[in-house]
Amino acid sequence: MSSKKLERQLNLIAALMEGPRGLRAEEIHRRVEGYPESGEAFHRAFERDKDDLRAMGLPILMEDLPGADPPVVGYRITDADYGMDDPELNTDELAALHLATSIVRLRGLDDDSGLWKLGGVAGGAGSPVSLSAEVPTPAALLPLFSAVSGRATAGFVYRDAERLVDPERLEYRRGRWYLAAFDRAKGERRSFRVDRMGDRIELGAPGSAAPHEPTGGPGTGQPWTYDDGPAEEVTLEVDSVVAPVVRLELPDAEVLAERSDGSLRLRVRLTRWEPFRSYVLSHLDHVEVIEPAWARTDLTHWVSTVLDSLIATEGRP
């Protein structure tokens, strides 16, 4: 999906949500920037946009507008369809979210592109943080965004072999983009480096990607098991407060000790550390990494870095 098309669809979503009633097609043509001037070309583009948004889970309602005879159809998106519950973030969490969206931009996209607007422009008026990182943008990234958001299959050449996958999500880690997807030929989940795909990405129709249930053993659908790399073993100490929940969340973990007070010591096999680090932190001080030493050190360093960033951000005038 091009940045212009993405921006037009974002403008369309805003227009369909802002009014108390639905909008006629003629009103949408007049209000939403980016549509062709010709009426016939507009209707073709509008139909494609509706299909794209519905494939992403945004139902566009069609309703008869009041006071029109003969009846006239209007289009709208309600808050109930588009909105989400208040996540009730505290001050530190809101600051961390603002920090993340303020200091990262996608290299290769113009400042006014739709993807950049999603995160806001850093360094502008009132911005507490100036731009400190640029994320590289491989040629395959934009079509893969479309594949993930539209739940479409993606075909590409990877390691000299044709691949057809059902994309699940895009991730950025250690300076590179990765696609987590189900490889149809191999029948299992794999992680693919986007910069190794080239720029020829063939997308299926929206909705063509099949959902896949978690598989057994290492690779149970948890994000810390998706890589092809060698497995690591991490030992956790889990207190009695969250032990029942952690047992359900980590069904493949080896139980090393189960104590009378309900606490546990577990060993977990994983191929990716970063998402597992986030999982451990989601349980706050109820879960502790015991070994290996590098994992304890990295977790402590990462938390310290985030806290230092939050303190520096809040301390600015």
Side-chain angles (χ1 to χ4, degrees), residues 110-177:
D110 296 334
D111 284 353
D112 60 353
S113 70
L115 282 175
W116 180 220
K117 285 183 177 179
L118 287 174
V121 178
S127 173
V129 188
S130 41
L131 188 67
S132 67
E134 284 194 346
V135 177
T137 310
L141 188 61
L142 285 177
L144 290 175
F145 267 117
S146 298
V148 172
S149 63
R151 297 192 293 275
T153 58
F156 49 86
V157 175
Y158 194 80
R159 292 181 178 173
D160 299 323
E162 293 282 348
R163 305 295 182 103
L164 180 64
V165 304
D166 297 320
E168 296 182 343
R169 68 185 171 280
L170 283 160
E171 300 171 336
Y172 183 76
R173 48 192 168 87
R174 296 184 180 179
R176 295 186 177 93
W177 286 98

Side-chain angles (χ1 to χ4, degrees), residues 48-312:
R48 288 194 296 268
D49 286 347
K50 286 192 295 181
D51 289 341
D52 287 348
L53 296 182
R54 285 168 176 156
M56 286 187 276
L58 287 175
I60 299 178
L61 303 181
M62 299 175 61
E63 57 187 16
D64 290 337
L65 298 179
D69 189 16
V72 176
V73 172
Y75 302 90
R76 67 183 303 199
I77 297 174
T78 67
D79 288 341
D81 294 323
Y82 185 76
M84 60 179 288
D85 294 336
D86 182 359
E88 299 181 354
L89 301 178
N90 60 35
T91 303
D92 286 350
E93 291 167 334
L94 286 170
L97 179 61
H98 178 77
L99 180 68
T101 57
S102 295
I103 66 175
V104 176
R105 61 174 293 185
L106 298 180
R107 182 187 304 143
L109 299 180
D110 296 334
D111 284 353
D112 60 353
S113 70
L115 282 175
W116 180 220
K117 285 183 177 179
L118 287 174
V121 178
S127 173
V129 188
S130 41
L131 188 67
S132 67
E134 284 194 346
V135 177
T137 310
L141 188 61
L142 285 177
L144 290 175
F145 267 117
S146 298
V148 172
S149 63
R151 297 192 293 275
T153 58
F156 49 86
V157 175
Y158 194 80
R159 292 181 178 173
D160 299 323
E162 293 282 348
R163 305 295 182 103
L164 180 64
V165 304
D166 297 320
E168 296 182 343
R169 68 185 171 280
L170 283 160
E171 300 171 336
Y172 183 76
R173 48 192 168 87
R174 296 184 180 179
R176 295 186 177 93
W177 286 98
Y178 291 82
L179 173 70
F182 185 89
D183 188 317
R184 291 192 173 189
K186 295 185 178 295
E188 61 187 13
R189 286 180 170 86
R190 291 295 181 95
S191 180
F192 303 93
R193 267 182 55 177
V194 175
D195 62 334
R196 291 178 175 171
M197 295 179 185
D199 56 2
R200 186 176 67 83
I201 308 296
E202 296 180 358
L203 302 186
S208 56
H212 298 276
E213 294 294 329
T215 56
T220 55
Q222 301 285 17
W224 47 85
T225 64
Y226 284 167
D227 267 357
D228 290 335
E232 301 277 1
E233 291 187 342
V234 176
T235 302
L236 303 177
E237 191 70 29
V238 183
D239 72 16
S240 59
V241 174
V242 299
V245 174
V246 171
R247 285 290 292 271
L248 292 174
E249 293 173 336
L250 303 176
D252 298 314
E254 179 185 356
V255 179
L256 301 178
E258 187 168 6
R259 304 179 184 90
S260 59
D261 64 356
S263 63
L264 300 170
R265 178 164 289 203
L266 304 176
R267 179 182 292 138
V268 182
R269 296 182 74 247
L270 50 100
T271 56
R272 289 184 50 211
W273 162 246
E274 289 86 353
F276 191 72
R277 177 182 63 192
S278 298
Y279 167 77
V280 170
L281 291 173
S282 72
H283 286 292
L284 303 176
D285 58 347
H286 298 294
V287 176
E288 180 184 0
V289 174
I290 302 301
E291 56 183 12
W294 65 261
R296 288 178 58 88
T297 301
D298 180 80
L299 187 146
T300 302
H301 175 73
W302 190 83
V303 171
S304 298
T305 301
V306 172
L307 290 176
D308 289 345
S309 298
L310 291 173
I311 293 170

